[in-house]
Amino acid sequence: MQSLTAAFLSCLATFSAVGGADTEDYGCECLAHRLEAFQPARRTDRPGRWVEPGKGKFDPATGADFRHWPPDRLVDYLKIRVELRVPDLAVRKAEAVATLTVRPIASPVESLSLNAEQLKVSRVTVGGRAVEHSSDGHVLGLRFEPPLPVGSDSDIRVEYAIEDPQMGLTFAPAYPDRPGYPAEMHTQGQSEFNRGWFPCHDFPNERQSTELVVDVPEGVMVSGNGRLVSKKTEGGRTVWNWLQEKPHVAYLVSMVAGDFAVVPIESKRSGVPMHVWVPKDRTGDVARTYGRTDEMMVLFEEVFGQKYPWDRYDQLVVRDFGSGGMENTSATTMHPGAILDEIAAADDDMEGLISHELCHQWTGDLITCKSWAHIWLNEGWATYGTNLWWQRRDGDAGYFDAMLDSNGVAGGDSTEGPVGMVSPIYGNASETFGRAPNPYPKGASILHMLREKLGDEIFFKGVRTYFEKYKFDVVETDDFRKELEAASGLGLEGFFDQWCMRPGCPNISVKAVYDTASRTLTLSAEQTQKIDERTPAFAVDTPVVVKTAEGVKAHDWSWRTKSDTLELKLDGPPDWVAFDPRLATLKTLKQEMPVEWMRALAKDGPTTASRRQAVQFLRGNATPDTVAVLEAIANDPAARRRLRQECVDAIADFQCDAGRAAIARMMEKPPELPRVFAGVCGAVTQLGDNPKAIAWLVKTLQEQKSYAVRAACINALGKLEAKDQVDLLLKMVDEPSRQQEIQSAALRVLAGWNDAKAIEPALKAAALGNFDRARPAAMDALSKICPKEEDNATRKQVIERLVAWMDDPEGRARNAACEALANLKAKQALDRLDAIARSDPSPERRDRATEWAKRIRG
C-alpha cells in the first residue's frame, strides 16, 4: 500500500499503539500494517501523463492541473473473468487470459486504455478478431476496428503472462526445514495494485462482477471472491472456479493459494457460512481468535440496516502479507500474526482488526468511495465500526476509550497543513491513507461527532437510509451528508466543510475558576491553533459536566469564535469539572483547573475519556496525593485496562520518592492484566540500578508466561544495563512467542549492549523461515553488533549473509538487509545496489537503492 510517511508516523504516535490489550485492542492493524507496504514512486491516471508525488495542485512551469479526479468511464465494465494457470507456486510466473465484458456508455468506442502493470500481453481479441494493442508497461492501449457499438456487450479477451510481479500478486516462499509451510500465493489490490496481475479499470469509480478460474498443482487450495462454482482435478492439477456475481470494484478482487486448513466458525445468528484459512498446525487457535465474528456480523447488520450482502465470509491468514488486513469482498486477507495461541490471547485479542475488516464488507465493499479523496467513507467508517463493536462488547466505557484514541489524530492535524482529509491533491492513491488528517481516526471521530450532534435515533436512521440508497454503488462525501440532512432537517454543509474539507483541528485551552462567594464557576476557553482567512476559528460544541455535593449536571456550550466564556451558577463547590467528556468536538486539549478536581475526575469522571484526560493532566503533578490516586486506579481491577496502564506510566514518569515507593508496592503485588503488568515492568527502570529491581525482573522473566510481560522485562533489563544477564537474554532469543516478540526484544537489547555473542543467534533469527515481521529486527541487530574492522572474519560473514538477503523472496527482509548494509557502510553491497538502482522493476526500490548506495559511499 504505502510507505510510512512522516505525517502517518505522527498520526500513529498520537492515535494508539497497535497490538492492544487483554480484551481491548484500540489500535487498528489495518491502518498500521497496510501503510507498511510499498507504493510506486509514480503513477499514471491517463496514458502518457505521469504524476510525481508531492508536486501539489499544479505544475508552476506548465500550469497543468495535478489534482486527481475519477477517470472517464467510456464503457460500463460488466464482468471480468480471469483464467490463471500457475505452473508451480515456487516459481514467480503465471499464464493468464482476462476477458472483460464491456458495454459502451454514450457512443461507439474506438479506443480504450486499461491499467496493466508489467503484464506481457501477447494477443488481444474481440469476437475472435485481433485487436491492435500497445503497452508502455503501465497502460494497455486498445484500438477497435470497427468501434465497439453502443447497446451491445463486447468481450475483450487479453492473453498475457505474469513474470516476477511487482505489485498486486505476491509469491510467498516455502519455509526451509518447516514441511507444514510450503509456498503460497496471495493478492493485495488496494489501492491500485491489482493491475499487476490482471488488466482492468483500476479505480474505484467502476463496479463489475468477477470470476476467477485458477489452475494449480493438485493439493494446492485456492480462494477467490464469492462462491465456489466448481473444483476439478485431473492429471495432477486442480482447477478452482470462483464467481462473485454481485458487482464490486477492481481493488477488492482476491486470490489466495496454498496449503491451508479451512476451519468453520459458528454463525448461528447470522446464518452466513464462515471459515478461517490457517496453517495446518494452527487449527486449534481459530475459535479462540475468531469466535466472535458472528456477533460482530449481527451488530453491523443492525447498524447499517442491511443483511450481510455476500455469499460467504472467510478470513485467510497468509504469509509475507504487506498489510494488516484487507477487506476483499467476502474473503478478508490477514497478516500471519493474526492467529493467537492461549498465551497470546491472554495478552491481546485480534477483535480490533477482525471487526474493522468485517465492517468493510458494508463500508467499502457494499458501498465504495468514488475516488480516493473520499477514502474516509471506507476507512473512517470501518474504524468507527470497531468502536461500535467495543461499545456492544464492553459498554460505553469501551466506546469512549476507543474514541479518545481516535481523537489523538488531532495532535498531528494542523490548520497549517496543505490539504484537508477530503482532497483530490495527492501524488499517488496510497498517500490518501496516510495524511496528517488521517481518514481512519479522523473519519471515526467525525462520525462520532455527528452521532453526538444528531442523537442516536436520527443518526442511525440517516445511516440506514444512506446504505439502502447507495448499496452496490459508489459515493462521495456529499452523498452521505445529504442523507443525514434529510434525516435530521439540519444543514450540515458547514460541518462537513469544517471537518472534512479543511485541514486542521482546534487546539483548545480551557481554564476553570470557582468563586465561593457567588457560587459561580467560570470557564474561559480559547482556540490556540493558527486562525486566518483560510482556516477561521472552528464552530465547536464543548459541553461541561459538573459534580457537586448535590449531584452531577450537564451544561451545553457551543461557540464559534476564537475564545468564549461560560459562567455557571452552582449549588456549591465542584468536586470535579469535566470539559467535553463525551468528545463532542475533535481537538487537542489543555486544561487549567485545581488539581484536586482532576484527582477526583480521574477516580470517577463521567466517561473513560474524561478519566484518562484527567490522568494526562496529573502527569504534571508529582505529589504524594496524586501518586496515591494513580496507584489506587492502577490497582483497581474494575478500571479499564488503558486507564490503569496510563496511571502506571504516569507514576513512572514522576521519578519521585512517592512514585518509586508505589512502583515497589506494585512489584510486590503486580496487576493481574498482562498489559498492565508489563507497564509495571517498564516502570521498574525508575528504581535505577537496583539489585532488587533487576532480580525481580529476572525472576518475572523466568516465571511469567505472558509474552508481553516477558518482553517488557527484557526491555527493562536493557535500560538498566544489566549486562550480567547476557546469558539469560541469549537464551530468550530461542524462546517461542507470538510474532517472535521475545526474541526481537532480546536481540534489540543485546545489540544495544554491542555484545558479539548475539551475532550467531541474530543470523539464525534473520534467516528465511522466521516470522516475516521479526526478521528485520534481527538484521538491524546485526548491523549494530557487527565488528567495524574491514578485515574481520565475523564482519565478512555477516556482510556475506546480508548481501545474499538483498534478493530474499520476502520483501521486508530484502529492504532490511539493504538498510543494514547501508548502516554498516558495506562496500560489498554496492554492485548489487547499483544494479537495483538501474533496473529493478519497482520504481520505489530503485529510488531506495540509490539512497542506500549514497550512504555507503558517504
Side-chain angles (χ1 to χ4, degrees):
M1 290 290 297
Q2 175 174 344
S3 299
L4 286 169
T5 63
F8 171 68
L9 286 170
S10 172
C11 167
L12 187 60
T14 54
F15 174 31
S16 67
V18 172
D22 303 81
T23 58
E24 307 160 35
D25 183 0
Y26 309 117
C28 176
E29 293 202 49
C30 172
L31 166 63
H33 292 304
R34 185 170 297 174
L35 294 174
E36 290 178 0
F38 76 91
Q39 62 182 352
R42 57 184 183 232
R43 55 160 278 192
T44 181
D45 281 324
R46 308 179 185 91
R49 180 178 176 188
W50 288 109
V51 181
E52 299 291 346
K55 270 205 169 180
K57 185 175 180 179
F58 81 109
D59 182 349
T62 65
D65 188 347
F66 276 177
R67 289 176 294 177
H68 292 253
W69 310 110
D72 298 334
R73 294 172 57 249
L74 300 178
V75 300
D76 187 5
Y77 293 83
L78 303 175
K79 182 178 180 180
I80 302 176
R81 173 185 167 96
V82 179
E83 301 167 74
L84 200 71
R85 187 180 190 279
V86 184
D88 189 331
L89 266 63
V91 180
R92 298 167 56 84
K93 293 182 180 180
E95 302 162 0
V97 175
T99 303
L100 290 77
T101 302
V102 302
R103 181 183 299 160
I105 293 173
S107 58
V109 172
E110 297 181 351
S111 63
L112 192 65
S113 296
L114 299 174
N115 300 112
E117 193 73 22
Q118 306 298 328
L119 302 181
K120 299 182 180 300
V121 177
S122 57
R123 177 175 166 83
V124 182
T125 58
V126 172
R129 301 188 307 273
V131 171
E132 182 181 326
H133 64 277
S134 63
S135 174
D136 62 359
H138 309 286
V139 175
L140 175 63
L142 307 177
R143 187 172 185 273
F144 305 105
E145 290 185 0
L148 303 182
V150 176
S152 298
D153 297 349
S154 299
D155 290 336
I156 304 172
R157 177 183 168 91
V158 182
E159 301 173 29
Y160 61 100
I162 304 168
E163 296 182 11
D164 194 23
Q166 297 302 303
M167 62 170 63
L169 180 60
T170 296
F171 289 86
Y175 280 173
D177 305 321
R178 298 182 68 182
Y181 288 77
E184 293 179 5
M185 179 176 64
H186 67 261
T187 62
Q188 167 61 12
Q190 196 178 44
S191 54
E192 299 174 359
F193 298 153
N194 270 343
R195 62 183 67 185
W197 65 283
F198 65 90
C200 58
H201 177 93
D202 200 4
F203 198 86
N205 67 330
E206 177 63 289
R207 302 176 72 98
Q208 61 268 300
S209 65
T210 60
E211 184 175 10
L212 296 181
V213 181
V214 186
D215 181 345
V216 292
E218 183 177 357
V220 173
M221 304 185 66
V222 176
S223 168
N225 306 98
R227 61 183 175 89
L228 181 63
V229 176
S230 64
K231 171 191 168 188
K232 298 178 181 178
T233 299
E234 184 178 346
R237 298 190 65 82
T238 302
V239 177
W240 299 71
N241 186 186
W242 289 92
L243 177 63
Q244 175 55 52
E245 294 174 288
K246 296 174 182 177
H248 61 157
V249 296
Y251 76 76
L252 292 170
V253 179
S254 167
M255 177 182 61
V256 172
D259 187 19
F260 297 93
V262 181
V263 183
I265 54 175
E266 187 174 292
S267 58
K268 291 180 180 178
R269 297 183 64 188
S270 67
V272 175
M274 298 184 199
H275 301 81
V276 180
W277 298 45
V278 293
K280 291 181 176 178
D281 61 352
R282 301 304 301 271
T283 58
D285 299 324
V286 168
R288 176 188 301 112
T289 309
Y290 293 92
R292 282 179 155 165
T293 306
D294 192 41
E295 295 176 60
M296 298 174 189
M297 185 168 286
V298 170
L299 167 65
F300 295 137
E301 288 181 337
E302 294 172 4
V303 168
F304 302 122
Q306 301 288 328
K307 295 292 289 183
Y308 179 77
W310 315 109
D311 294 300
R312 81 193 211 274
Y313 187 60
D314 284 5
Q315 298 170 87
L316 300 97
V317 178
V318 306
R319 296 203 310 275
D320 197 21
F321 189 54
S323 302
M326 181 60 214
E327 65 274 11
N328 306 302
T329 309
S330 77
T332 284
T333 315
M334 291 189 173
H335 71 91
I339 183 79
L340 305 179
D341 63 25
E342 188 175 0
I343 296 172
D347 287 347
D348 295 306
D349 64 51
M350 294 303 302
E351 292 181 20
L353 178 62
I354 294 167
S355 59
H356 182 104
E357 303 304 342
L358 176 58
C359 185
H360 266 309
Q361 298 296 317
W362 288 265
T363 64
D365 296 9
L366 180 61
I367 296 179
T368 309
C369 60
K370 188 176 181 180
S371 76
W372 301 114
H374 301 274
I375 188 62
W376 82 280
L377 294 171
N378 295 16
E379 299 298 352
W381 253 116
T383 304
Y384 190 63
T386 290
N387 296 353
L388 292 175
W389 168 244
W390 300 136
Q391 187 171 30
R392 171 62 60 90
R393 193 191 73 176
D394 299 340
D396 285 352
Y399 175 78
F400 281 105
D401 241 348
M403 286 315 312
L404 184 62
D405 286 335
S406 291
N407 272 232
V409 70
D413 185 11
S414 170
T415 55
E416 299 182 64
V419 295
M421 182 183 70
V422 178
S423 171
I425 302 172
Y426 54 85
N428 64 66
S430 296
E431 284 183 18
T432 61
F433 291 79
R435 289 171 165 163
N438 191 277
Y440 292 74
K442 187 166 186 179
S445 298
I446 289 169
L447 292 167
H448 168 74
M449 287 190 287
L450 285 165
R451 182 182 176 186
E452 288 291 300
K453 185 180 186 70
L454 304 180
D456 279 14
E457 181 179 353
I458 293 173
F459 173 74
F460 286 112
K461 176 185 176 182
V463 167
R464 287 188 281 270
T465 303
Y466 165 73
F467 272 85
E468 177 61 28
K469 182 174 182 179
Y470 291 104
K471 60 185 177 183
F472 302 110
D473 204 348
V474 296
V475 291
E476 297 178 340
T477 298
D478 280 348
D479 297 319
F480 181 50
R481 171 181 62 81
K482 290 174 183 176
E483 296 310 312
L484 293 186
E485 288 180 335
S488 67
L490 300 180
L492 298 174
E493 193 165 357
F495 177 96
F496 276 80
D497 178 73
Q498 174 174 280
W499 294 110
C500 297
M501 311 305 173
R502 281 172 46 181
C505 295
N507 302 327
I508 296 179
S509 293
V510 62
K511 180 179 180 180
V513 177
Y514 178 70
D515 181 72
T516 304
S518 62
R519 286 186 168 177
T520 301
L521 174 67
T522 302
L523 294 108
S524 304
E526 182 180 8
Q527 298 185 33
T528 61
Q529 75 280 1
K530 183 178 180 180
I531 296 174
D532 56 19
E533 184 176 4
R534 175 176 176 254
T535 53
F538 284 79
V540 297
D541 296 313
T542 55
V544 176
V545 179
V546 182
K547 181 181 180 182
T548 65
E550 295 297 320
V552 176
K553 187 174 181 180
H555 307 268
D556 292 334
W557 188 10
S558 299
W559 42 296
R560 308 175 54 87
T561 52
K562 181 177 180 180
S563 60
D564 199 28
T565 299
L566 179 68
E567 291 187 351
L568 301 173
K569 292 290 186 180
L570 305 182
D571 50 44
D575 292 338
W576 50 249
V577 175
F579 180 82
D580 192 16
R582 294 179 62 87
L583 308 175
T585 290
L586 174 62
K587 62 190 172 301
T588 67
L589 178 62
K590 292 183 179 180
Q591 303 185 79
E592 185 179 342
M593 297 187 188
V595 70
E596 294 84 359
W597 297 0
M598 283 299 183
R599 293 190 194 115
L601 185 62
K603 287 190 289 185
D604 71 344
T607 65
T608 49
S610 64
R611 296 184 70 188
R612 287 175 57 194
Q613 287 176 323
V615 170
Q616 184 64 36
F617 175 95
L618 291 171
R619 292 180 89 114
N621 184 255
T623 64
D625 287 344
T626 295
V627 171
V629 168
L630 297 179
E631 183 182 0
I633 297 171
N635 288 323
D636 181 3
R640 296 287 294 172
R641 190 272 302 170
R642 289 297 293 275
L643 177 64
R644 297 176 67 185
Q645 188 172 350
E646 288 170 3
C647 287
V648 172
D649 293 343
I651 292 170
D653 285 349
F654 286 153
Q655 300 185 32
C656 64
D657 290 342
R660 285 187 281 270
I663 293 168
R665 286 190 291 271
M666 285 188 279
M667 288 168 59
E668 291 296 321
K669 189 178 179 181
E672 74 288 352
L673 293 180
R675 287 290 173 181
V676 185
F677 194 152
V680 174
C681 296
V684 167
T685 59
Q686 299 305 320
L687 301 181
D689 188 9
N690 184 321
K692 288 185 178 180
I694 292 174
W696 182 84
L697 289 168
V698 169
K699 183 173 184 289
T700 302
L701 175 58
Q702 294 173 322
E703 294 181 353
Q704 281 292 312
K705 292 183 178 180
S706 164
Y707 302 142
V709 169
R710 299 177 77 190
C713 287
I714 292 169
N715 291 331
L717 289 169
K719 290 181 180 178
L720 292 174
E721 294 285 330
K723 295 183 179 180
D724 56 339
Q725 300 300 324
V726 165
D727 290 341
L728 175 61
L729 295 197
L730 287 170
K731 181 181 177 182
M732 290 299 108
V733 174
D734 292 325
E735 280 289 300
S737 60
R738 184 199 177 208
Q739 302 188 29
Q740 295 180 235
E741 63 178 305
I742 291 177
Q743 177 193 76
S744 295
L747 286 173
R748 280 194 299 269
V749 171
L750 291 167
W753 292 346
N754 197 28
D755 196 299
K757 292 180 182 178
I759 289 178
E760 283 302 322
L763 286 168
K764 180 181 176 183
L768 181 65
N770 289 284
F771 184 68
D772 63 357
R773 295 164 192 243
R775 295 180 67 198
M779 294 183 192
D780 181 64
L782 286 170
S783 74
K784 292 179 171 64
I785 307 169
C786 185
K788 302 297 185 279
E789 301 81 9
E790 289 293 336
D791 59 350
N792 183 283
T794 300
R795 178 182 173 88
K796 291 178 180 178
Q797 178 194 13
V798 169
I799 289 176
E800 181 180 350
R801 295 285 292 277
L802 288 169
V803 169
W805 286 325
M806 292 171 71
D807 295 300
D808 191 89
E810 293 183 342
R812 283 183 179 83
R814 288 196 298 272
N815 289 336
C818 292
E819 180 69 21
L821 287 162
N823 290 340
L824 288 168
K825 296 194 179 297
K827 295 180 180 179
Q828 298 91 325
L830 284 173
D831 287 347
R832 183 68 189 110
L833 286 174
D834 289 342
I836 295 171
R838 284 193 306 270
S839 58
D840 194 272
S842 165
E844 186 204 43
R845 196 157 192 251
R846 291 200 299 270
D847 292 344
R848 296 182 73 177
T850 299
E851 293 303 315
W852 284 319
K854 284 181 180 178
R855 284 166 55 189
I856 292 174
R857 291 187 170 101

Short mmCIF file of all heavy atoms in Angstrom, two decimals, residues 9 28 32 44 48 114 188 190 256 261 277 288 443 465 504 546 553 570 693 761 770 797 854 858:
data_model
loop_
_atom_site.label_atom_id
_atom_site.label_comp_id
_atom_site.label_asym_id
_atom_site.label_seq_id
_atom_site.Cartn_x
_atom_site.Cartn_y
_atom_site.Cartn_z
N LEU A 9 3.46 8.70 10.67
CA LEU A 9 4.15 8.39 11.92
C LEU A 9 3.66 9.28 13.05
O LEU A 9 3.45 8.83 14.17
CB LEU A 9 5.66 8.56 11.73
CG LEU A 9 6.34 7.47 10.91
CD1 LEU A 9 7.77 7.87 10.60
CD2 LEU A 9 6.32 6.14 11.65
N CYS A 28 -5.52 0.03 15.20
CA CYS A 28 -6.06 -0.60 14.03
C CYS A 28 -4.92 -1.18 13.21
O CYS A 28 -4.18 -0.45 12.58
CB CYS A 28 -6.86 0.40 13.20
SG CYS A 28 -7.42 -0.35 11.69
N ALA A 32 -2.08 0.36 10.58
CA ALA A 32 -0.65 0.35 10.85
C ALA A 32 0.11 -0.51 9.87
O ALA A 32 1.19 -0.14 9.40
CB ALA A 32 -0.40 -0.15 12.27
N THR A 44 0.23 6.69 -13.15
CA THR A 44 -0.41 7.41 -14.25
C THR A 44 -1.91 7.22 -14.15
O THR A 44 -2.40 6.14 -13.88
CB THR A 44 0.08 6.92 -15.62
OG1 THR A 44 -0.57 7.66 -16.62
CG2 THR A 44 -0.17 5.45 -15.82
N GLY A 48 0.26 8.41 -20.88
CA GLY A 48 1.20 9.48 -21.18
C GLY A 48 1.28 10.57 -20.15
O GLY A 48 2.00 11.54 -20.34
N LEU A 114 -6.49 0.37 -20.58
CA LEU A 114 -6.64 -0.45 -19.39
C LEU A 114 -5.36 -0.35 -18.57
O LEU A 114 -4.25 -0.27 -19.12
CB LEU A 114 -6.89 -1.92 -19.75
CG LEU A 114 -8.15 -2.23 -20.56
CD1 LEU A 114 -8.16 -3.70 -20.96
CD2 LEU A 114 -9.40 -1.88 -19.78
N GLN A 188 -3.10 -8.51 -3.29
CA GLN A 188 -3.42 -7.34 -2.48
C GLN A 188 -3.69 -6.20 -3.45
O GLN A 188 -2.77 -5.67 -4.08
CB GLN A 188 -2.28 -7.00 -1.53
CG GLN A 188 -2.36 -5.63 -0.87
CD GLN A 188 -3.61 -5.46 0.00
OE1 GLN A 188 -4.30 -6.41 0.29
NE2 GLN A 188 -3.89 -4.24 0.39
N GLN A 190 -5.58 -3.10 -2.98
CA GLN A 190 -5.71 -1.69 -2.60
C GLN A 190 -4.35 -1.08 -2.36
O GLN A 190 -3.50 -1.72 -1.73
CB GLN A 190 -6.57 -1.57 -1.34
CG GLN A 190 -7.09 -0.18 -1.09
CD GLN A 190 -7.99 -0.11 0.14
OE1 GLN A 190 -7.65 -0.68 1.17
NE2 GLN A 190 -9.09 0.58 0.04
N VAL A 256 -6.11 -16.28 -3.18
CA VAL A 256 -5.13 -16.85 -2.25
C VAL A 256 -4.96 -18.31 -2.61
O VAL A 256 -5.95 -19.02 -2.85
CB VAL A 256 -5.60 -16.70 -0.79
CG1 VAL A 256 -4.68 -17.49 0.14
CG2 VAL A 256 -5.66 -15.25 -0.38
N ALA A 261 -5.47 -25.26 6.32
CA ALA A 261 -6.61 -25.88 6.97
C ALA A 261 -7.75 -24.87 6.92
O ALA A 261 -7.56 -23.70 7.24
CB ALA A 261 -6.28 -26.24 8.41
N TRP A 277 -9.00 -19.66 7.13
CA TRP A 277 -7.93 -20.43 6.47
C TRP A 277 -6.63 -20.14 7.21
O TRP A 277 -6.18 -18.99 7.28
CB TRP A 277 -7.79 -20.00 5.01
CG TRP A 277 -9.01 -20.24 4.15
CD1 TRP A 277 -10.30 -19.96 4.45
CD2 TRP A 277 -9.02 -20.78 2.82
NE1 TRP A 277 -11.13 -20.30 3.41
CE2 TRP A 277 -10.37 -20.80 2.39
CE3 TRP A 277 -8.03 -21.24 1.96
CZ2 TRP A 277 -10.73 -21.27 1.13
CZ3 TRP A 277 -8.40 -21.70 0.69
CH2 TRP A 277 -9.73 -21.72 0.29
N ARG A 288 -10.62 -19.50 19.31
CA ARG A 288 -10.15 -18.53 20.30
C ARG A 288 -10.00 -17.14 19.69
O ARG A 288 -10.34 -16.13 20.29
CB ARG A 288 -8.82 -19.00 20.88
CG ARG A 288 -8.18 -18.02 21.86
CD ARG A 288 -6.78 -18.48 22.25
NE ARG A 288 -6.76 -19.79 22.86
CZ ARG A 288 -6.24 -20.87 22.30
NH1 ARG A 288 -5.66 -20.78 21.10
NH2 ARG A 288 -6.26 -22.03 22.91
N GLY A 443 -11.84 10.16 10.42
CA GLY A 443 -13.15 9.77 9.92
C GLY A 443 -14.03 9.21 11.03
O GLY A 443 -15.21 9.54 11.13
N THR A 465 -30.65 4.84 5.79
CA THR A 465 -31.17 5.35 4.52
C THR A 465 -30.06 5.46 3.47
O THR A 465 -30.24 5.12 2.30
CB THR A 465 -31.84 6.72 4.72
OG1 THR A 465 -32.87 6.60 5.69
CG2 THR A 465 -32.43 7.23 3.42
N GLY A 504 -6.76 20.59 9.60
CA GLY A 504 -6.61 21.02 10.98
C GLY A 504 -7.74 20.67 11.90
O GLY A 504 -8.83 20.27 11.49
N VAL A 546 -20.52 18.97 35.56
CA VAL A 546 -20.01 19.36 36.87
C VAL A 546 -20.62 18.48 37.95
O VAL A 546 -21.84 18.24 37.96
CB VAL A 546 -20.33 20.84 37.17
CG1 VAL A 546 -19.73 21.25 38.52
CG2 VAL A 546 -19.82 21.74 36.05
N LYS A 553 -24.44 17.42 36.91
CA LYS A 553 -25.28 18.15 35.99
C LYS A 553 -24.49 18.53 34.75
O LYS A 553 -23.34 18.95 34.83
CB LYS A 553 -25.83 19.42 36.66
CG LYS A 553 -26.86 20.16 35.82
CD LYS A 553 -27.48 21.32 36.58
CE LYS A 553 -28.53 22.02 35.73
NZ LYS A 553 -29.14 23.16 36.47
N LEU A 570 -23.69 27.44 40.60
CA LEU A 570 -23.72 26.11 41.19
C LEU A 570 -24.36 26.14 42.57
O LEU A 570 -24.58 27.21 43.15
CB LEU A 570 -22.30 25.56 41.29
CG LEU A 570 -21.47 25.51 39.99
CD1 LEU A 570 -20.11 24.89 40.27
CD2 LEU A 570 -22.20 24.73 38.90
N ALA A 693 15.55 -4.65 42.00
CA ALA A 693 14.74 -4.46 40.79
C ALA A 693 15.18 -5.42 39.70
O ALA A 693 14.35 -6.06 39.03
CB ALA A 693 14.86 -3.01 40.31
N PRO A 761 23.10 -16.01 17.07
CA PRO A 761 21.65 -16.06 17.22
C PRO A 761 20.91 -15.10 16.28
O PRO A 761 19.84 -15.42 15.77
CB PRO A 761 21.43 -15.67 18.68
CG PRO A 761 22.70 -16.00 19.38
CD PRO A 761 23.77 -15.77 18.37
N ASN A 770 11.75 -17.67 9.67
CA ASN A 770 11.30 -16.96 10.86
C ASN A 770 10.11 -16.07 10.47
O ASN A 770 9.83 -15.84 9.29
CB ASN A 770 12.44 -16.11 11.43
CG ASN A 770 13.52 -16.96 12.07
OD1 ASN A 770 13.37 -17.46 13.16
ND2 ASN A 770 14.63 -17.14 11.34
N GLN A 797 31.55 -12.50 7.34
CA GLN A 797 30.46 -13.49 7.36
C GLN A 797 29.10 -12.80 7.41
O GLN A 797 28.18 -13.15 6.66
CB GLN A 797 30.62 -14.42 8.57
CG GLN A 797 29.49 -15.44 8.69
CD GLN A 797 29.47 -16.12 10.06
OE1 GLN A 797 30.12 -15.68 11.00
NE2 GLN A 797 28.69 -17.19 10.17
N LYS A 854 24.30 5.77 -1.79
CA LYS A 854 24.87 7.07 -1.40
C LYS A 854 25.39 7.03 0.03
O LYS A 854 26.45 7.56 0.35
CB LYS A 854 23.82 8.17 -1.54
CG LYS A 854 23.55 8.60 -2.98
CD LYS A 854 22.51 9.72 -2.99
CE LYS A 854 22.21 10.17 -4.41
NZ LYS A 854 21.17 11.23 -4.43
N GLY A 858 29.15 7.52 1.30
CA GLY A 858 29.40 8.67 2.16
C GLY A 858 29.16 9.98 1.50
O GLY A 858 29.75 11.00 1.88
#
